[in-house]
PDB file of all heavy atoms in Angstrom:
ATOM      1  N   ASP A 139      -4.876   4.747   6.030  1.00 98.00           N
ATOM      2  CA  ASP A 139      -6.004   5.475   6.630  1.00 98.00           C
ATOM      3  C   ASP A 139      -5.406   6.529   7.611  1.00 98.00           C
ATOM      4  O   ASP A 139      -4.892   6.173   8.671  1.00 98.00           O
ATOM      5  CB  ASP A 139      -6.851   4.444   7.407  1.00 98.00           C
ATOM      6  CG  ASP A 139      -7.938   5.055   8.286  1.00 98.00           C
ATOM      7  OD1 ASP A 139      -8.175   6.250   8.197  1.00 98.00           O
ATOM      8  OD2 ASP A 139      -8.581   4.291   9.063  1.00 98.00           O
ATOM      9  N   ARG A 142      -8.605   7.794  10.941  1.00 98.00           N
ATOM     10  CA  ARG A 142      -8.835   7.239  12.342  1.00 98.00           C
ATOM     11  C   ARG A 142      -7.707   7.692  13.223  1.00 98.00           C
ATOM     12  O   ARG A 142      -7.935   8.087  14.357  1.00 98.00           O
ATOM     13  CB  ARG A 142      -8.931   5.733  12.271  1.00 98.00           C
ATOM     14  CG  ARG A 142     -10.324   5.212  11.943  1.00 98.00           C
ATOM     15  CD  ARG A 142     -10.984   5.846  10.731  1.00 98.00           C
ATOM     16  NE  ARG A 142     -12.278   5.241  10.462  1.00 98.00           N
ATOM     17  CZ  ARG A 142     -12.451   4.181   9.676  1.00 98.00           C
ATOM     18  NH1 ARG A 142     -11.450   3.588   9.064  1.00 98.00           N
ATOM     19  NH2 ARG A 142     -13.665   3.725   9.512  1.00 98.00           N
ATOM     20  N   HIS A 168      -6.712   7.631   2.619  1.00 98.00           N
ATOM     21  CA  HIS A 168      -8.076   7.703   3.128  1.00 98.00           C
ATOM     22  C   HIS A 168      -8.125   8.943   4.044  1.00 98.00           C
ATOM     23  O   HIS A 168      -7.776   8.893   5.179  1.00 98.00           O
ATOM     24  CB  HIS A 168      -8.398   6.437   3.841  1.00 98.00           C
ATOM     25  CG  HIS A 168      -9.800   6.336   4.352  1.00 98.00           C
ATOM     26  ND1 HIS A 168     -10.871   6.022   3.551  1.00 98.00           N
ATOM     27  CD2 HIS A 168     -10.342   6.443   5.626  1.00 98.00           C
ATOM     28  CE1 HIS A 168     -11.993   5.989   4.268  1.00 98.00           C
ATOM     29  NE2 HIS A 168     -11.699   6.232   5.531  1.00 98.00           N
ATOM     30  N   ASP A 171     -13.006  10.612   7.477  1.00 98.00           N
ATOM     31  CA  ASP A 171     -13.873   9.561   7.995  1.00 98.00           C
ATOM     32  C   ASP A 171     -14.637  10.143   9.225  1.00 98.00           C
ATOM     33  O   ASP A 171     -14.485  11.359   9.503  1.00 98.00           O
ATOM     34  CB  ASP A 171     -13.093   8.340   8.378  1.00 98.00           C
ATOM     35  CG  ASP A 171     -13.909   7.027   8.182  1.00 98.00           C
ATOM     36  OD1 ASP A 171     -14.950   6.960   8.793  1.00 98.00           O
ATOM     37  OD2 ASP A 171     -13.474   6.154   7.384  1.00 98.00           O
ATOM     38  N   GLU A 227      -8.832  10.061  -1.184  1.00 98.00           N
ATOM     39  CA  GLU A 227     -10.191   9.586  -0.983  1.00 98.00           C
ATOM     40  C   GLU A 227     -10.938  10.542  -0.039  1.00 98.00           C
ATOM     41  O   GLU A 227     -10.464  10.818   1.055  1.00 98.00           O
ATOM     42  CB  GLU A 227     -10.256   8.198  -0.389  1.00 98.00           C
ATOM     43  CG  GLU A 227     -11.714   7.754  -0.152  1.00 98.00           C
ATOM     44  CD  GLU A 227     -11.836   6.380   0.544  1.00 98.00           C
ATOM     45  OE1 GLU A 227     -10.803   5.724   0.788  1.00 98.00           O
ATOM     46  OE2 GLU A 227     -12.981   6.024   0.905  1.00 98.00           O
ATOM     47  N   ASP A 229     -14.421  10.095   1.585  1.00 98.00           N
ATOM     48  CA  ASP A 229     -15.395   9.019   1.730  1.00 98.00           C
ATOM     49  C   ASP A 229     -16.791   9.595   2.000  1.00 98.00           C
ATOM     50  O   ASP A 229     -16.999  10.357   2.935  1.00 98.00           O
ATOM     51  CB  ASP A 229     -14.983   8.101   2.882  1.00 98.00           C
ATOM     52  CG  ASP A 229     -15.633   6.755   2.863  1.00 98.00           C
ATOM     53  OD1 ASP A 229     -16.550   6.524   2.026  1.00 98.00           O
ATOM     54  OD2 ASP A 229     -15.227   5.890   3.653  1.00 98.00           O
ATOM     55  N   HIS A 233     -19.498   7.618   6.593  1.00 98.00           N
ATOM     56  CA  HIS A 233     -18.129   7.939   7.099  1.00 98.00           C
ATOM     57  C   HIS A 233     -17.886   9.431   7.095  1.00 98.00           C
ATOM     58  O   HIS A 233     -16.776   9.902   6.778  1.00 98.00           O
ATOM     59  CB  HIS A 233     -17.062   7.230   6.252  1.00 98.00           C
ATOM     60  CG  HIS A 233     -17.065   5.724   6.413  1.00 98.00           C
ATOM     61  ND1 HIS A 233     -16.412   5.085   7.456  1.00 98.00           N
ATOM     62  CD2 HIS A 233     -17.653   4.741   5.687  1.00 98.00           C
ATOM     63  CE1 HIS A 233     -16.602   3.782   7.350  1.00 98.00           C
ATOM     64  NE2 HIS A 233     -17.325   3.557   6.281  1.00 98.00           N
ATOM     65  N   ILE A 257     -14.862   3.504  17.254  1.00 97.00           N
ATOM     66  CA  ILE A 257     -14.488   2.774  16.060  1.00 97.00           C
ATOM     67  C   ILE A 257     -15.683   2.067  15.380  1.00 97.00           C
ATOM     68  O   ILE A 257     -15.455   1.172  14.548  1.00 97.00           O
ATOM     69  CB  ILE A 257     -13.314   1.761  16.305  1.00 97.00           C
ATOM     70  CG1 ILE A 257     -13.732   0.630  17.222  1.00 97.00           C
ATOM     71  CG2 ILE A 257     -12.043   2.448  16.847  1.00 97.00           C
ATOM     72  CD1 ILE A 257     -12.700  -0.556  17.188  1.00 97.00           C
ATOM     73  N   VAL A 259     -18.658   1.771  12.657  1.00 96.00           N
ATOM     74  CA  VAL A 259     -18.861   2.279  11.296  1.00 96.00           C
ATOM     75  C   VAL A 259     -20.333   2.287  10.973  1.00 96.00           C
ATOM     76  O   VAL A 259     -21.140   1.600  11.574  1.00 96.00           O
ATOM     77  CB  VAL A 259     -18.087   1.386  10.252  1.00 96.00           C
ATOM     78  CG1 VAL A 259     -16.579   1.406  10.447  1.00 96.00           C
ATOM     79  CG2 VAL A 259     -18.600  -0.015  10.254  1.00 96.00           C
ATOM     80  N   GLY A 295     -17.975   5.563  -0.625  1.00 97.00           N
ATOM     81  CA  GLY A 295     -19.230   4.880  -0.915  1.00 97.00           C
ATOM     82  C   GLY A 295     -19.469   3.612  -0.095  1.00 97.00           C
ATOM     83  O   GLY A 295     -20.440   2.917  -0.297  1.00 97.00           O
ATOM     84  N   ASP A 296     -18.492   3.242   0.820  1.00 97.00           N
ATOM     85  CA  ASP A 296     -18.617   2.003   1.564  1.00 97.00           C
ATOM     86  C   ASP A 296     -19.520   2.211   2.793  1.00 97.00           C
ATOM     87  O   ASP A 296     -19.621   3.284   3.335  1.00 97.00           O
ATOM     88  CB  ASP A 296     -17.227   1.520   2.041  1.00 97.00           C
ATOM     89  CG  ASP A 296     -16.526   2.582   2.847  1.00 97.00           C
ATOM     90  OD1 ASP A 296     -16.567   3.787   2.501  1.00 97.00           O
ATOM     91  OD2 ASP A 296     -15.919   2.204   3.911  1.00 97.00           O
ATOM     92  N   GLU A 297     -20.104   1.100   3.220  1.00 95.00           N
ATOM     93  CA  GLU A 297     -20.740   1.010   4.532  1.00 95.00           C
ATOM     94  C   GLU A 297     -21.686   2.190   4.850  1.00 95.00           C
ATOM     95  O   GLU A 297     -21.667   2.662   5.966  1.00 95.00           O
ATOM     96  CB  GLU A 297     -19.712   0.907   5.630  1.00 95.00           C
ATOM     97  CG  GLU A 297     -18.814  -0.295   5.492  1.00 95.00           C
ATOM     98  CD  GLU A 297     -17.637  -0.272   6.472  1.00 95.00           C
ATOM     99  OE1 GLU A 297     -17.041   0.817   6.761  1.00 95.00           O
ATOM    100  OE2 GLU A 297     -17.252  -1.343   6.950  1.00 95.00           O
ATOM    101  N   TRP A 327     -15.669   2.330  -3.636  1.00 98.00           N
ATOM    102  CA  TRP A 327     -15.762   0.972  -3.044  1.00 98.00           C
ATOM    103  C   TRP A 327     -16.904   0.237  -3.756  1.00 98.00           C
ATOM    104  O   TRP A 327     -17.845   0.868  -4.298  1.00 98.00           O
ATOM    105  CB  TRP A 327     -15.989   1.061  -1.562  1.00 98.00           C
ATOM    106  CG  TRP A 327     -14.875   1.756  -0.816  1.00 98.00           C
ATOM    107  CD1 TRP A 327     -14.870   3.001  -0.294  1.00 98.00           C
ATOM    108  CD2 TRP A 327     -13.565   1.199  -0.528  1.00 98.00           C
ATOM    109  NE1 TRP A 327     -13.645   3.285   0.309  1.00 98.00           N
ATOM    110  CE2 TRP A 327     -12.824   2.161   0.193  1.00 98.00           C
ATOM    111  CE3 TRP A 327     -12.955  -0.022  -0.800  1.00 98.00           C
ATOM    112  CZ2 TRP A 327     -11.502   1.963   0.595  1.00 98.00           C
ATOM    113  CZ3 TRP A 327     -11.642  -0.201  -0.376  1.00 98.00           C
ATOM    114  CH2 TRP A 327     -10.944   0.777   0.316  1.00 98.00           C
ATOM    115  N   GLU A 329     -19.650  -1.155  -3.243  1.00 97.00           N
ATOM    116  CA  GLU A 329     -21.087  -0.867  -3.010  1.00 97.00           C
ATOM    117  C   GLU A 329     -21.623   0.129  -4.048  1.00 97.00           C
ATOM    118  O   GLU A 329     -22.796   0.067  -4.396  1.00 97.00           O
ATOM    119  CB  GLU A 329     -21.346  -0.304  -1.676  1.00 97.00           C
ATOM    120  CG  GLU A 329     -21.175  -1.278  -0.513  1.00 97.00           C
ATOM    121  CD  GLU A 329     -19.846  -1.183   0.180  1.00 97.00           C
ATOM    122  OE1 GLU A 329     -18.813  -1.103  -0.537  1.00 97.00           O
ATOM    123  OE2 GLU A 329     -19.805  -1.167   1.381  1.00 97.00           O
ATOM    124  N   GLN A 343     -13.641  -0.714  -6.351  1.00 98.00           N
ATOM    125  CA  GLN A 343     -12.653  -1.331  -5.456  1.00 98.00           C
ATOM    126  C   GLN A 343     -13.315  -2.404  -4.620  1.00 98.00           C
ATOM    127  O   GLN A 343     -14.168  -2.081  -3.757  1.00 98.00           O
ATOM    128  CB  GLN A 343     -11.940  -0.308  -4.578  1.00 98.00           C
ATOM    129  CG  GLN A 343     -10.831  -0.927  -3.757  1.00 98.00           C
ATOM    130  CD  GLN A 343      -9.882   0.094  -3.150  1.00 98.00           C
ATOM    131  OE1 GLN A 343     -10.091   1.310  -3.220  1.00 98.00           O
ATOM    132  NE2 GLN A 343      -8.791  -0.416  -2.516  1.00 98.00           N
ATOM    133  N   TRP A 345     -13.786  -5.079  -1.792  1.00 98.00           N
ATOM    134  CA  TRP A 345     -13.230  -5.308  -0.482  1.00 98.00           C
ATOM    135  C   TRP A 345     -13.914  -6.416   0.274  1.00 98.00           C
ATOM    136  O   TRP A 345     -13.663  -6.570   1.494  1.00 98.00           O
ATOM    137  CB  TRP A 345     -13.241  -4.028   0.364  1.00 98.00           C
ATOM    138  CG  TRP A 345     -14.596  -3.454   0.702  1.00 98.00           C
ATOM    139  CD1 TRP A 345     -15.332  -2.575  -0.058  1.00 98.00           C
ATOM    140  CD2 TRP A 345     -15.384  -3.761   1.859  1.00 98.00           C
ATOM    141  NE1 TRP A 345     -16.522  -2.314   0.576  1.00 98.00           N
ATOM    142  CE2 TRP A 345     -16.606  -3.019   1.717  1.00 98.00           C
ATOM    143  CE3 TRP A 345     -15.233  -4.582   2.961  1.00 98.00           C
ATOM    144  CZ2 TRP A 345     -17.633  -3.052   2.693  1.00 98.00           C
ATOM    145  CZ3 TRP A 345     -16.231  -4.630   3.927  1.00 98.00           C
ATOM    146  CH2 TRP A 345     -17.403  -3.876   3.772  1.00 98.00           C
ATOM    147  N   SER A 346     -14.721  -7.211  -0.404  1.00 98.00           N
ATOM    148  CA  SER A 346     -15.257  -8.387   0.256  1.00 98.00           C
ATOM    149  C   SER A 346     -14.200  -9.475   0.356  1.00 98.00           C
ATOM    150  O   SER A 346     -13.001  -9.168   0.173  1.00 98.00           O
ATOM    151  CB  SER A 346     -16.487  -8.887  -0.489  1.00 98.00           C
ATOM    152  OG  SER A 346     -17.120  -9.943   0.225  1.00 98.00           O
ATOM    153  N   ALA A 369     -10.639  -8.306   1.713  1.00 98.00           N
ATOM    154  CA  ALA A 369     -10.317  -7.951   3.096  1.00 98.00           C
ATOM    155  C   ALA A 369      -9.678  -9.056   3.903  1.00 98.00           C
ATOM    156  O   ALA A 369      -8.883  -8.826   4.770  1.00 98.00           O
ATOM    157  CB  ALA A 369     -11.556  -7.441   3.817  1.00 98.00           C
ATOM    158  N   TYR A 373      -6.162  -6.915   3.678  1.00 98.00           N
ATOM    159  CA  TYR A 373      -6.298  -5.871   4.680  1.00 98.00           C
ATOM    160  C   TYR A 373      -5.204  -6.009   5.728  1.00 98.00           C
ATOM    161  O   TYR A 373      -5.197  -6.955   6.521  1.00 98.00           O
ATOM    162  CB  TYR A 373      -7.703  -5.896   5.340  1.00 98.00           C
ATOM    163  CG  TYR A 373      -8.745  -5.135   4.676  1.00 98.00           C
ATOM    164  CD1 TYR A 373      -8.667  -4.847   3.276  1.00 98.00           C
ATOM    165  CD2 TYR A 373      -9.823  -4.531   5.349  1.00 98.00           C
ATOM    166  CE1 TYR A 373      -9.616  -4.071   2.638  1.00 98.00           C
ATOM    167  CE2 TYR A 373     -10.808  -3.751   4.700  1.00 98.00           C
ATOM    168  CZ  TYR A 373     -10.686  -3.534   3.342  1.00 98.00           C
ATOM    169  OH  TYR A 373     -11.619  -2.797   2.709  1.00 98.00           O
ATOM    170  N   ASP A 375      -4.555  -4.396   8.331  1.00 98.00           N
ATOM    171  CA  ASP A 375      -4.903  -4.076   9.722  1.00 98.00           C
ATOM    172  C   ASP A 375      -5.515  -5.298  10.425  1.00 98.00           C
ATOM    173  O   ASP A 375      -5.856  -5.200  11.620  1.00 98.00           O
ATOM    174  CB  ASP A 375      -5.827  -2.869   9.830  1.00 98.00           C
ATOM    175  CG  ASP A 375      -7.117  -3.094   9.115  1.00 98.00           C
ATOM    176  OD1 ASP A 375      -7.099  -3.488   7.912  1.00 98.00           O
ATOM    177  OD2 ASP A 375      -8.209  -2.842   9.692  1.00 98.00           O
ATOM    178  N   MET A 376      -5.627  -6.426   9.738  1.00 98.00           N
ATOM    179  CA  MET A 376      -6.104  -7.644  10.419  1.00 98.00           C
ATOM    180  C   MET A 376      -4.970  -8.222  11.231  1.00 98.00           C
ATOM    181  O   MET A 376      -3.821  -8.201  10.786  1.00 98.00           O
ATOM    182  CB  MET A 376      -6.584  -8.669   9.380  1.00 98.00           C
ATOM    183  CG  MET A 376      -7.881  -8.255   8.647  1.00 98.00           C
ATOM    184  SD  MET A 376      -9.229  -8.020   9.796  1.00 98.00           S
ATOM    185  CE  MET A 376      -9.733  -6.349   9.352  1.00 98.00           C
ATOM    186  N   LEU A 386      -7.420  -5.723  13.924  1.00 98.00           N
ATOM    187  CA  LEU A 386      -8.825  -6.173  14.052  1.00 98.00           C
ATOM    188  C   LEU A 386      -8.944  -7.624  13.532  1.00 98.00           C
ATOM    189  O   LEU A 386      -7.940  -8.197  13.027  1.00 98.00           O
ATOM    190  CB  LEU A 386      -9.720  -5.254  13.185  1.00 98.00           C
ATOM    191  CG  LEU A 386      -9.683  -3.765  13.616  1.00 98.00           C
ATOM    192  CD1 LEU A 386     -10.459  -2.915  12.609  1.00 98.00           C
ATOM    193  CD2 LEU A 386     -10.174  -3.523  15.023  1.00 98.00           C
ATOM    194  N   TRP A 388     -12.242  -8.774  12.068  1.00 98.00           N
ATOM    195  CA  TRP A 388     -13.549  -9.046  11.480  1.00 98.00           C
ATOM    196  C   TRP A 388     -13.524  -9.714  10.160  1.00 98.00           C
ATOM    197  O   TRP A 388     -14.461 -10.386   9.768  1.00 98.00           O
ATOM    198  CB  TRP A 388     -14.359  -7.708  11.398  1.00 98.00           C
ATOM    199  CG  TRP A 388     -13.757  -6.696  10.402  1.00 98.00           C
ATOM    200  CD1 TRP A 388     -12.947  -5.690  10.737  1.00 98.00           C
ATOM    201  CD2 TRP A 388     -13.948  -6.697   8.990  1.00 98.00           C
ATOM    202  NE1 TRP A 388     -12.571  -5.031   9.608  1.00 98.00           N
ATOM    203  CE2 TRP A 388     -13.195  -5.602   8.512  1.00 98.00           C
ATOM    204  CE3 TRP A 388     -14.685  -7.423   8.104  1.00 98.00           C
ATOM    205  CZ2 TRP A 388     -13.151  -5.269   7.146  1.00 98.00           C
ATOM    206  CZ3 TRP A 388     -14.629  -7.152   6.772  1.00 98.00           C
ATOM    207  CH2 TRP A 388     -13.856  -6.061   6.288  1.00 98.00           C
ATOM    208  N   ALA A 389     -12.417  -9.613   9.414  1.00 98.00           N
ATOM    209  CA  ALA A 389     -12.385 -10.236   8.095  1.00 98.00           C
ATOM    210  C   ALA A 389     -11.915 -11.668   8.139  1.00 98.00           C
ATOM    211  O   ALA A 389     -10.786 -12.006   7.819  1.00 98.00           O
ATOM    212  CB  ALA A 389     -11.469  -9.427   7.180  1.00 98.00           C
ATOM    213  N   TRP A 423      -6.014   0.114   7.642  1.00 98.00           N
ATOM    214  CA  TRP A 423      -6.938   0.999   8.399  1.00 98.00           C
ATOM    215  C   TRP A 423      -6.341   1.199   9.785  1.00 98.00           C
ATOM    216  O   TRP A 423      -5.716   0.303  10.330  1.00 98.00           O
ATOM    217  CB  TRP A 423      -8.342   0.354   8.486  1.00 98.00           C
ATOM    218  CG  TRP A 423      -8.918   0.032   7.127  1.00 98.00           C
ATOM    219  CD1 TRP A 423      -8.843  -1.172   6.478  1.00 98.00           C
ATOM    220  CD2 TRP A 423      -9.644   0.904   6.285  1.00 98.00           C
ATOM    221  NE1 TRP A 423      -9.500  -1.081   5.261  1.00 98.00           N
ATOM    222  CE2 TRP A 423      -9.989   0.190   5.134  1.00 98.00           C
ATOM    223  CE3 TRP A 423     -10.059   2.243   6.383  1.00 98.00           C
ATOM    224  CZ2 TRP A 423     -10.718   0.766   4.047  1.00 98.00           C
ATOM    225  CZ3 TRP A 423     -10.787   2.804   5.324  1.00 98.00           C
ATOM    226  CH2 TRP A 423     -11.119   2.088   4.217  1.00 98.00           C
ATOM    227  N   SER A 424      -6.597   2.409  10.348  1.00 98.00           N
ATOM    228  CA  SER A 424      -5.785   2.752  11.524  1.00 98.00           C
ATOM    229  C   SER A 424      -6.583   2.922  12.840  1.00 98.00           C
ATOM    230  O   SER A 424      -6.134   3.637  13.711  1.00 98.00           O
ATOM    231  CB  SER A 424      -5.018   4.038  11.213  1.00 98.00           C
ATOM    232  OG  SER A 424      -5.924   5.154  10.951  1.00 98.00           O
ATOM    233  N   GLU A 425      -7.706   2.196  12.952  1.00 98.00           N
ATOM    234  CA  GLU A 425      -8.413   2.269  14.249  1.00 98.00           C
ATOM    235  C   GLU A 425      -7.489   1.901  15.384  1.00 98.00           C
ATOM    236  O   GLU A 425      -7.594   2.497  16.456  1.00 98.00           O
ATOM    237  CB  GLU A 425      -9.636   1.310  14.239  1.00 98.00           C
ATOM    238  CG  GLU A 425     -10.814   1.783  13.420  1.00 98.00           C
ATOM    239  CD  GLU A 425     -10.782   1.189  11.983  1.00 98.00           C
ATOM    240  OE1 GLU A 425      -9.686   0.870  11.509  1.00 98.00           O
ATOM    241  OE2 GLU A 425     -11.871   1.120  11.388  1.00 98.00           O
TER     242      GLU A 425
HETATM  243  C1  TNX B 501     -14.001  -1.670   6.798  1.00 90.18           C
HETATM  244  S1  TNX B 501     -13.841  -2.071   3.990  1.00 90.18           S
HETATM  245  C2  TNX B 501     -13.963  -0.336   6.340  1.00 90.18           C
HETATM  246  C3  TNX B 501     -13.267   0.656   7.153  1.00 90.18           C
HETATM  247  C4  TNX B 501     -12.726   0.108   8.392  1.00 90.18           C
HETATM  248  C5  TNX B 501     -12.141  -1.276   8.133  1.00 90.18           C
HETATM  249  C6  TNX B 501     -11.445  -1.823   9.311  1.00 90.18           C
HETATM  250  C7  TNX B 501     -14.158  -0.604   3.964  1.00 90.18           C
HETATM  251  C8  TNX B 501     -14.224  -0.009   2.632  1.00 90.18           C
HETATM  252  N1  TNX B 501     -14.395   0.061   5.103  1.00 90.18           N
HETATM  253  O1  TNX B 501     -14.198   1.720   7.385  1.00 90.18           O
HETATM  254  O2  TNX B 501     -11.732   0.972   8.858  1.00 90.18           O
HETATM  255  O3  TNX B 501     -13.172  -2.127   7.746  1.00 90.18           O
HETATM  256  O4  TNX B 501     -10.731  -3.025   8.968  1.00 90.18           O
END
Side-chain angles (χ1 to χ4, degrees):
D139 171 9
R142 273 51 177 271
H168 183 76
D171 213 302
E227 178 185 354
D229 198 353
H233 291 278
I257 66 167
V259 296
D296 58 318
E297 301 171 322
W327 297 106
E329 289 100 313
Q343 184 165 7
W345 65 270
S346 186
Y373 270 27
D375 59 311
M376 291 300 126
L386 301 174
W388 65 265
W423 304 94
S424 62
E425 286 94 335

